[in-house]
Amino acid sequence: MTGASGFIGHHVARHLAESGHGVIALDNREPSPPHPDEIQTILCDIRNGDLPGKNCDAIVHLAALGGVRPSMERPSDYIETNVGGTVRLLEWAKQHGVKRFIFASSSSVYGATNGTPSAEDNPLSPCSPYALTKVQGEQWGKLYSESHGIDFIALRLFAVWGDGQRPDLALESFRRKILAAETITIHGDGSQRRDLTHVSDVARAVEQALAWKGRGFETFNIGTGRNHSVNDMLRAAEAWTGMTTEVKYGPPHPADVLGTLADVRKAREILGWEARVAFP
């Protein structure tokens, strides 16, 4: 598993180990807190580091530069890590005969939508370099699936939340600023809506994608089929802290979309997966 020290990766690694999988956890930084003893931890930069020399049954590829907004300022870094790193891992899978590749894609591949749930066969219209790298990662996976027989499963994750989430994500950013009595600035009027998916549900989706008996290239939405506004997230952060703070509303960010909402029928019908944790 790559990106195993990140927010999502830490949860997924622990879940898979508790479910009986042997996990080799790769990241370019130490996990904090440390992984359980049964997880083998390797420090490795997927762009140019030494990948494991032994075979494994599957790759769970979670490593990536995250964030729509910073990708607007650093597109080359996102291409190098998110696309280059993915291709390097696909080559490693081909050379070592690994036949299952789970790829953490993103709801951002759909771009701006009209408020209806996004289904896997909808046109893709990425609005940021980050989103484009996720589309390209899927395309490389499809190529390697068709050319080299790798079962490539792209999980399009919708707005993941939970313990340990990145400080730049809205919920955690709001919580920290409220506790510090700092002013919160919201881009737009706060009516933008996100399908918020708990990280424990993402971990179960990865487990079920590993166990799926299908073959070839597939994409699955991993969301709840419900969404909440940014103002809802702010009110939830205030409730969690028991405090309030000043809020300012500014111009919309060009990389933001008005809403994300997952059509989750395919994951339910084919993977047997559906979300269990509701927000908040």
Side-chain angles (χ1 to χ4, degrees):
M1 174 187 299
T2 70
S5 297
F7 159 48
I8 297 174
H10 207 279
H11 284 270
V12 174
R14 182 179 294 269
H15 177 84
L16 292 179
E18 290 174 350
S19 300
H21 291 274
V23 179
I24 302 173
L26 273 65
D27 208 303
N28 61 1
R29 60 187 175 92
E30 295 281 359
S32 180
H35 293 305
D37 291 342
E38 62 268 27
I39 295 177
Q40 179 184 353
T41 301
I42 298 176
L43 289 180
C44 175
D45 189 324
I46 62 167
R47 296 170 297 182
N48 49 35
D50 293 331
L51 297 172
K54 61 183 179 181
N55 294 348
C56 59
D57 296 322
I59 293 173
V60 178
H61 180 30
L62 307 178
L65 285 180
V68 166
R69 294 174 184 173
S71 76
M72 305 289 282
E73 306 298 327
R74 301 164 50 203
S76 296
D77 291 342
Y78 278 71
I79 293 169
E80 180 184 11
T81 300
N82 297 4
V83 180
T86 299
V87 174
R88 188 165 186 252
L89 285 166
L90 284 165
E91 270 293 297
W92 188 90
K94 181 187 75 172
Q95 293 165 6
H96 287 77
V98 180
K99 292 302 184 183
R100 176 129 312 190
F101 195 111
I102 312 299
F103 175 67
S105 188
S106 167
S107 62
S108 64
V109 300
Y110 295 114
T113 63
N114 60 5
T116 59
S118 297
E120 288 85 350
D121 58 358
N122 285 170
L124 304 184
S125 184
C127 297
S128 68
Y130 168 76
L132 183 57
T133 64
K134 290 301 183 180
V135 172
Q136 292 172 336
E138 291 187 11
Q139 292 172 332
W140 277 101
K142 189 172 188 294
L143 176 64
Y144 271 70
S145 178
E146 294 172 348
S147 301
H148 306 295
I150 295 173
D151 300 327
F152 187 96
I153 303 167
L155 302 179
R156 293 175 178 169
L157 308 181
F158 281 69
V160 184
W161 68 285
D163 292 341
Q165 62 190 304
R166 295 200 324 261
D168 60 305
L169 297 178
L171 282 167
E172 181 62 11
S173 174
F174 291 164
R175 186 188 72 83
R176 293 186 180 209
K177 289 184 177 181
I178 291 170
L179 290 173
E182 296 178 3
T183 299
I184 291 173
T185 299
I186 293 177
H187 295 275
D189 61 6
S191 65
Q192 310 96 305
R193 302 183 71 83
R194 298 292 180 264
D195 191 328
L196 299 169
T197 312
H198 195 264
V199 67
S200 64
D201 286 324
V202 172
R204 288 192 306 104
V206 172
E207 181 185 17
Q208 288 174 241
L210 287 169
W212 181 51
K213 300 301 184 183
R215 301 297 305 274
F217 172 85
E218 276 292 356
T219 59
F220 295 99
N221 287 337
I222 303 302
T224 68
R226 300 176 295 276
N227 58 17
H228 303 267
S229 72
V230 173
N231 287 328
D232 290 339
M233 298 181 215
L234 174 61
R235 286 188 287 269
E238 290 177 335
W240 291 337
T241 60
M243 302 167 62
T244 60
T245 193
E246 182 182 2
V247 180
K248 293 183 178 180
Y249 293 89
H253 192 280
D256 282 348
V257 297
L258 290 179
T260 64
L261 183 61
D263 182 331
V264 295
R265 290 175 295 178
K266 185 177 178 182
R268 182 173 62 244
E269 294 168 2
I270 296 179
L271 288 183
W273 175 92
E274 59 184 343
R276 294 176 180 172
V277 181
F279 175 84

